[in-house]
Structures are given as C-alpha cells and as structure tokens.
Amino acid sequence: DMEVYQKRLQSFGFNAIVVDGHDVEELLKAFHEAEQTKGMPTCILARTFKGKDFPNIENLMNWHGKALGDKTDEIINHLQGLIKNPGAEKLPIPAPVRDAPEVNISGVCLSAPPAYTKGQKLATREAYGNALAKLATANDRVVALDGDMKNSTFSQSMLKVDKNRFVECFI
C-alpha cells in the first residue's frame, strides 16, 4: 500500500509523490515537481511490478534476477517494438547540481572486523549483510533502505541491530 509509505515519508517532512513507475509521463511530472519543491526533500514512490511488458514473464514469480535464456531475442524484439520514436534525438542531460551539505563520515567503521576464515566460501550479498549490521551497530546514522530483497541481500541483518533504521521500500 503505497499510500502508507507516502504518509510515513510525509510525517518525516518529505514531499512524497506516488506514481506508476512504468508510466514515463507520470515519472517526468514527478521529477518536475521534485525540481520545483523547495525546503524539503522529495521521495518518488514508484509502483512497479517485475518484468513489465516481458511476454510470458510479466509479473510471474521465479524470474527476478534470472537470465532470459532462449527467450532473450523474443523479448528484446518485443520491447524494441514498444519504442514509439526510436529515431528521436537524444536530449542533453545537464550535470547534477552539487548543493548537498558535506557530511563527515571519517569516523564510520565496523563494530568488529570480519570473522571469516581463509578459504571460507561466502556469497558477496551475505558479506554485505554482515558488514551492514556491523556498520549500523557502531554508527547510529546508518539506515538501510531495502527494495523488497532483504532475504536475498541479507540486509535483514539490520533488523537485529535496530528495526527502526530499516525501511522496506519494496520494488
């Protein structure tokens, strides 16, 4: 329920905008609103679902993060057919404005060094979860924003440190 997240962000002083994340026009309007909003941060909450416009994959389980295999050519051809103006001139993209205040993170460190043994096999994502928890234990400014992947990225380890610094953003 995106409206719950919208209200939560608004309660923290955000300009929170909910959009259909598959609708480019809605996204452009939200970006414009964000650009025009002064005095508060903006968060765009984009409603999406996995595999949008992928034939025989759209919104189905067990496809996220997997190679398309023998479906690759069919899907690429289908997606290319959805492009409304393939010869359109690419618009120039200005450099980002660098007006964020400087933050000193020189004191950020792990609460304890890694405890892996030589030759131990460990998924990078599990090491990430372990490091996130150790950083959060030692630094109360560390917050985890998760995209509905906490069991895959092991960011759920943050919940053991401080559930109030873990935000499930979904996908």
Side-chain angles (χ1 to χ4, degrees):
D1 182 10
M2 297 296 266
E3 283 65 36
V4 170
Y5 293 101
Q6 181 181 33
K7 288 177 184 173
R8 183 179 295 169
L9 285 160
Q10 288 169 337
S11 75
F12 285 105
F14 277 80
N15 171 35
I17 307 165
V18 177
V19 298
D20 173 352
H22 302 294
D23 185 325
V24 174
E25 290 296 322
E26 276 193 44
L27 287 165
L28 290 173
K29 287 176 187 174
F31 293 143
H32 178 73
E33 182 181 331
E35 184 178 46
Q36 300 304 309
T37 300
K38 304 296 180 210
M40 67 173 62
T42 295
C43 179
I44 299 173
L45 299 162
R47 260 192 212 102
T48 61
F49 56 90
K50 300 171 190 169
K52 173 71 173 154
D53 289 326
F54 281 44
N56 303 313
I57 292 177
E58 183 174 301
N59 214 22
L60 295 178
M61 297 301 286
N62 297 318
W63 275 102
H64 190 262
K66 292 184 179 176
L68 299 173
D70 60 355
K71 295 177 178 271
T72 302
D73 290 337
E74 171 196 357
I75 291 172
I76 289 174
N77 288 333
H78 174 75
L79 294 173
Q80 286 175 333
L82 297 176
I83 299 172
K84 293 180 180 163
N85 189 1
E89 180 183 338
K90 293 189 177 10
L91 299 174
I93 299 173
V97 176
R98 305 227 181 255
D99 61 354
E102 288 206 28
V103 176
N104 182 350
I105 59 169
S106 61
V108 174
C109 61
L110 298 175
S111 60
Y116 309 123
T117 57
K118 187 175 182 176
Q120 177 183 354
K121 293 188 178 195
L122 183 77
T124 305
R125 57 198 177 115
E126 187 173 356
Y128 162 78
N130 294 341
L132 177 64
K134 288 181 178 188
L135 284 169
T137 297
N139 305 277
D140 63 1
R141 293 187 57 171
V142 173
V143 176
L145 303 176
D146 186 78
D148 199 21
M149 303 294 287
K150 64 183 170 283
N151 61 333
S152 178
T153 63
F154 289 82
S155 65
Q156 63 192 7
S157 62
M158 180 68 171
L159 293 168
K160 296 174 187 168
V161 175
D162 184 347
K163 66 180 182 180
N164 294 316
R165 290 192 282 146
F166 180 88
V167 179
E168 179 59 81
C169 301
F170 298 100
I171 293 178

